Amino acid sequence: YKPASYLWRYDINPPRPWDEWGVAKWTRLFQYEIPQDLVFAYDLTYDAGAWSEDLRRTVEDTLFRPALALSLQVHEDMAGHITNLNPTLYQRMIHLGRVLNDPETVHQAVRFMEDMIRMSYHFDGMEFEGAMAYHGVVTGRLGIGVRMLSGYVDPEGYVDERFGYIVGRGERPLDFPIHSKAWEVWSMMTYPDGPQAYIHDT
């Protein structure tokens, strides 16, 4: 569907390529397509006796994995174009990958986050769009993605043949000084009484 000033127009199953960010099945944007609330609920109840293996497989194969696949297809069709909302997708990928014991999804999210950190900031640590609102969205949500990795360790014997990462065994693939510098910019651009400096469309 495509936004207008007062209207959302819905297209059912539009054909690929999906080369705009307003493509999704369960929500308005592909970055939010993985239903994180349901992933949390599934995670919290995973060991409950009400879940059978068949029921788990149904939920994973008809809800979670298709949502992940659609998100990645839109990301691919957009030629990897990165928007300021993409960290939302990456943190959801990490959470889902951990819940489904799918290290490949976790590692792909780490790769996406590395790419985003590399391209998002000027040398002074300011997010390239120049507005403190976007700076906060990008820096903060990337920070949530980093916290989503807390305590994660690759399964024993897993080898990342795609990206060559080792995650959770002393390696720090997201330890970028520029991301730390970005947090300092947030403080520098905030007035003593709380508001951020009004730059661009902040």
Side-chain angles (χ1 to χ4, degrees):
Y1 49 82
K2 298 180 179 179
S5 60
Y6 58 90
L7 174 70
W8 289 94
R9 190 191 81 211
Y10 292 84
D11 293 330
I12 305 301
N13 295 324
R16 292 184 73 181
W18 297 318
D19 55 357
E20 60 175 281
W21 50 286
V23 173
K25 180 177 181 180
W26 299 109
T27 183
R28 291 180 9 177
L29 308 172
F30 81 93
Q31 295 97 333
Y32 293 86
E33 180 67 6
I34 297 170
Q36 192 164 36
D37 288 348
L38 297 181
V39 178
F40 272 119
Y42 184 58
D43 190 13
L44 290 169
T45 63
Y46 190 86
D47 294 323
W51 288 106
S52 66
E53 286 303 313
D54 286 344
L55 188 54
R56 282 200 188 96
R57 191 176 304 111
T58 297
V59 169
E60 293 177 9
D61 292 349
T62 65
L63 176 60
F64 294 145
R65 294 190 190 280
L68 171 65
L70 177 61
S71 299
L72 294 177
Q73 286 168 348
V74 178
H75 192 280
E76 177 184 338
D77 287 354
M78 294 181 69
H81 175 66
I82 296 173
T83 76
N84 52 48
L85 291 180
N86 276 39
T88 300
L89 168 61
Y90 308 154
Q91 69 193 43
R92 289 169 185 239
M93 288 175 64
I94 292 170
H95 184 204
L96 182 62
R98 294 187 69 165
V99 170
L100 299 184
N101 193 29
D102 181 0
E104 184 172 344
T105 296
V106 174
H107 282 232
Q108 187 163 25
V110 169
R111 174 58 182 268
F112 286 158
M113 289 171 69
E114 281 196 340
D115 289 344
M116 185 163 196
I117 290 172
R118 286 190 186 100
M119 64 76 60
S120 289
Y121 298 106
H122 295 298
F123 289 112
D124 62 358
M126 183 72 185
E127 198 266 344
F128 78 95
E129 293 170 286
M132 290 310 300
Y134 293 142
H135 182 92
V137 166
V138 171
T139 305
R141 294 188 187 194
L142 281 171
I144 292 171
V146 171
R147 290 196 297 277
M148 285 281 189
L149 289 169
S150 179
Y152 173 81
V153 178
D154 284 333
E156 196 68 39
Y158 173 74
V159 176
D160 181 351
E161 297 181 353
R162 186 174 182 188
F163 305 116
Y165 293 145
I166 301 172
V167 181
R169 301 187 187 277
E171 300 285 334
R172 297 174 63 86
L174 289 167
D175 190 15
F176 281 75
I178 195 67
H179 191 236
S180 300
K181 198 171 186 179
W183 287 106
E184 298 172 9
V185 170
W186 183 260
S187 300
M188 291 165 47
M189 300 297 285
T190 300
Y191 290 109
D193 60 342
Q196 282 78 49
Y198 298 116
I199 306 171
H200 298 305
D201 57 348
T202 295

